[in-house]
């Protein structure tokens, strides 16, 4: 499964990110992993991170071994079915990372296909799809392009 | 008769005028560069009610500044306005609140009916005179918040009818999270290029792209700007006389109320006085 860098970061808890950044200041190994992560450029499909790439797998397990991730988190982050903290991977036939078209009456302002960045629940429990560069939409304003 | 000479104006200011008194404090912090309605703030004039169905406002509507109604051909003019603010860099605007509606929900994602059509209201409360130009070009349209909506940022699409009878959607409006009480979003700037030269006569529906997470309460308000005074320093009084104001006419039935345009963020107390000259 391939992800954009933003989607990969969404899989980490903010405290985990803070711990990794702090560790990078004192550990060359962690700094090297971060260097590789920052250096990676997106492929034509917009994604950069392959959850099955041995370097990704080794890096996350190494962080777990070093105590930067709690036990079991590496497997969880690498899992294709895991949810980002507080979010969903899929809802009503649309997954995070899918391309969608916005339907009327918002189509004129957002005519191009857009990427689903996150799927979360609003305060009233209704599921909301956040599209990159466009904001939040209810399911009935979206058409999956897959 | 109408006032046509300076002597008549001076006489009216001294002997035949109605006072304007505004004394209110915002119940939450105003964000710089955003319009803020003081309709729902307590103080003077009294707190206006949250509207429900579309209705006109008049000089007797609680929330507006009342003034002596004139018998034709006598006319009223805003001839003096002074203002002081507890926060620096504030602009007090006085608007005639023509009509309003409320009860729109922050959790509904289907088209919500507004039905605020000034053309059908022209015969009520002297609206025909109060709108200014008959093509509705003097009318300002707003989304106005009465109860805060939720923390999810959404997009709004507003469908309107123009002065030529055609209908279309305005450009979409991005609404940030947690819209507070009193927040005003201007709609006139959202007229699409394809509708250039047209003026909004009626707001038909509002559609939100997603739930904000909380119903809250917001609506649509139509106003006509009458005057403004800029108070650059806090706690200092600034005055606009008749020449600076341009003596805008105040037709019978006008429901004058304050709108603030803050250039600095903060909870703002407003103290303003003025005179409506009659003649």
């Amino acid at each position: 499964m391939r992800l954009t860098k933003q989607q990969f970061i969404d899989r980490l808890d903010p405290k985990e990110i803070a711990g990794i950044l702090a560790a990078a200041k004192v550990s060359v190994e962690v700094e090297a992993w971060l260097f590789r992560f920052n250096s990676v450029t997106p492929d034509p499909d917009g994604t950069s991170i392959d959850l099955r790439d041995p370097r990704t797998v080794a890096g996350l397990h190494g962080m777990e071994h070093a105590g930067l991730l709690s036990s079991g988190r590496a497997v969880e982050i690498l899992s294709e079915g895991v949810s980002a903290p507080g979010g969903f991977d899929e809802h009503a036939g649309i997954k995070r990372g899918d391309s969608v078209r916005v339907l009327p009456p918002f189509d004129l302002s957002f005519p191009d296909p857009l990427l689903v960045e996150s799927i979360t629940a609003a305060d009233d429990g209704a599921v909301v799809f956040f599209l990159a560069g466009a904001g939040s939409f209810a399911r009935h304003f979206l058409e999956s392009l897959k | 008769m109408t006032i046509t000479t300076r002597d008549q104006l001076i006489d009216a200011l001294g002997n035949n005028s109605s006072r304007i008194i505004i004394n209110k404090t915002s119940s939450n912090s105003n964000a710089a560069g955003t319009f803020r309605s003081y309709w729902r703030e307590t103080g003077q004039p009294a707190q206006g009610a949250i509207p429900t169905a579309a209705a006109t406002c008049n000089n007797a509507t609680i929330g507006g500044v009342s003034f002596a109604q004139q018998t034709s051909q006598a006319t009223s003019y805003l001839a003096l306005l002074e203002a002081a603010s507890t926060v620096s860099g504030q602009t007090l605007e006085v608007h005639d609140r023509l009509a309003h509606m409320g009860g729109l929900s922050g959790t509904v994602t289907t088209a919500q009916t507004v039905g605020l059509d000034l053309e059908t209201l022209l015969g009520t409360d002297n609206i025909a005179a109060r709108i200014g130009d008959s093509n509705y070009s003097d009318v300002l349209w707003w989304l106005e918040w009465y109860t805060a909506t939720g923390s999810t940022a959404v997009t709004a699409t507003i469908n309107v009818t123009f002065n030529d009878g055609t209908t279309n959607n305005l450009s979409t409006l991005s609404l940030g999270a947690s819209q507070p009480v009193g927040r005003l979003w201007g709609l006139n700037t959202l007229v699409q290029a394809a509708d250039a030269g047209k003026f909004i006569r009626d707001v038909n529906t509002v559609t939100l792209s997603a739930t904000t997470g909380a119903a809250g309460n917001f609506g649509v308000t139509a106003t006509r700007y009458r005057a403004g005074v800029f108070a650059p320093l806090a706690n200092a009084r600034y005055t606009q006389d008749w020449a600076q104001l341009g003596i805008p006419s105040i037709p019978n039935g006008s429901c004058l109320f304050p709108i603030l345009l803050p250039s600095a963020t903060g909870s703002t107390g407003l103290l303003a006085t003025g005179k409506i000259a009659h003649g």
Side-chain angles (χ1 to χ4, degrees):
Chain A
M1 179 179 184
R2 294 186 62 85
L3 303 173
T4 64
K5 283 188 182 180
Q6 185 67 51
Q7 289 170 329
F8 182 79
I9 292 172
D10 284 345
R11 288 180 168 229
L12 297 168
D13 189 84
K15 289 182 181 176
E16 292 172 333
I17 297 172
I20 293 169
L21 292 175
K25 297 184 189 305
V26 296
S27 165
V28 173
E29 287 80 10
V30 176
E31 185 184 17
W33 185 92
L34 206 56
F35 176 82
R36 179 183 289 279
F37 179 84
N38 290 335
S39 300
V40 166
T41 55
D43 282 1
D45 66 354
T47 63
S48 306
I49 309 297
D50 186 341
L51 294 180
R52 294 180 183 173
D53 188 302
R55 292 165 293 186
T56 305
V57 174
L60 285 174
H61 280 285
M63 288 187 206
E64 183 176 317
H65 182 73
L68 297 176
L69 300 174
S70 56
S71 179
R73 276 294 285 154
V75 169
E76 196 173 75
I77 292 168
L78 291 167
S79 170
E80 295 190 12
V82 78
S83 301
F88 308 98
D89 277 335
E90 179 178 0
H91 179 75
I94 293 180
K95 294 181 181 178
R96 286 196 312 143
D98 279 356
S99 285
V100 295
R101 178 180 295 120
V102 175
L103 299 174
F106 302 96
D107 54 324
L108 288 179
S109 290
F110 307 105
D112 299 324
L114 295 168
L115 205 64
V116 177
E117 267 198 13
S118 65
I119 306 172
T120 58
D123 291 342
D124 60 354
V127 176
V128 172
F129 296 78
F130 186 83
L131 308 186
S136 302
F137 289 84
R139 176 63 178 90
H140 59 270
F141 291 123
L142 303 177
E143 178 185 47
S144 177
L145 292 177
K146 62 181 177 184
Chain B
M1 75 180 180
T2 57
I3 294 176
T4 58
T5 68
R6 192 179 305 204
D7 284 348
Q8 289 172 344
L9 181 60
I10 292 171
D11 181 36
L13 278 169
N15 303 306
N16 189 19
S17 62
S18 298
R19 286 183 308 163
I20 293 175
I21 296 179
I22 296 171
N23 194 347
K24 296 198 174 206
T25 299
S26 58
S27 54
N28 52 57
S29 183
N30 303 316
T34 64
F35 286 94
R36 172 62 184 270
S37 167
Y38 273 59
W39 181 253
R40 287 289 298 159
E41 304 300 348
T42 56
Q44 194 169 358
Q47 180 187 47
I50 297 176
T52 52
T56 55
C57 304
N58 59 43
N59 61 292
T61 302
I62 294 175
V65 173
S66 63
F67 63 99
Q69 303 296 283
Q70 302 302 298
T71 301
S72 181
Q73 296 173 346
T75 310
S76 301
Y77 306 89
L78 182 55
L80 179 69
L81 189 62
E82 298 184 327
S85 164
T86 57
V87 178
S88 62
Q90 312 292 301
T91 298
L92 165 67
E93 296 188 356
V94 176
H95 287 240
D96 179 5
R97 193 175 181 97
L98 301 170
H100 58 192
M101 61 78 64
L104 301 182
S105 170
T107 57
V108 172
T109 57
T110 53
Q112 300 187 63
T113 299
V114 172
L116 188 52
D117 186 353
L118 287 181
E119 187 165 86
T120 65
L121 300 172
L122 290 177
T124 307
D125 290 330
N126 203 22
I127 290 291
R130 292 164 60 191
I131 63 170
D133 197 308
S134 60
N135 65 3
Y136 303 95
S137 58
D138 290 327
V139 178
L140 298 175
W141 293 87
W142 313 87
L143 292 187
E144 181 171 358
W145 258 255
Y146 301 107
T147 307
T149 46
S151 60
T152 298
V154 301
T155 302
T157 289
I158 300 105
N159 184 269
V160 302
T161 301
F162 296 102
N163 57 305
D164 65 353
T166 59
T167 64
N168 202 0
N169 290 331
L170 301 178
S171 297
T172 53
L173 176 63
S174 294
L175 298 172
S178 304
Q179 292 298 310
V181 173
R183 182 71 164 90
L184 287 170
W185 288 92
L187 303 183
N188 295 66
T189 58
L190 302 176
V191 175
Q192 298 195 53
D195 295 310
K198 301 179 187 179
F199 306 101
I200 303 171
R201 184 197 90 192
D202 169 20
V203 174
N204 301 309
T205 61
V206 174
T207 307
L208 300 181
S209 64
T211 175
T212 68
N217 187 330
F218 69 102
V220 176
T221 303
T223 74
R224 182 184 176 200
Y225 171 88
R226 305 319 292 131
V229 57
F230 174 53
L233 293 179
N235 306 314
R237 185 178 292 275
Y238 294 87
T239 302
Q240 299 275 82
D241 65 15
W242 60 271
Q244 292 161 314
L245 292 172
I247 45 175
S249 66
I250 307 296
N252 280 348
S254 294
C255 178
L256 302 178
F257 81 110
I259 289 178
L260 189 73
L261 176 58
S263 63
T265 297
S267 179
T268 306
L270 284 176
L271 179 58
T273 59
K275 284 192 175 184
I276 300 174
H278 308 300

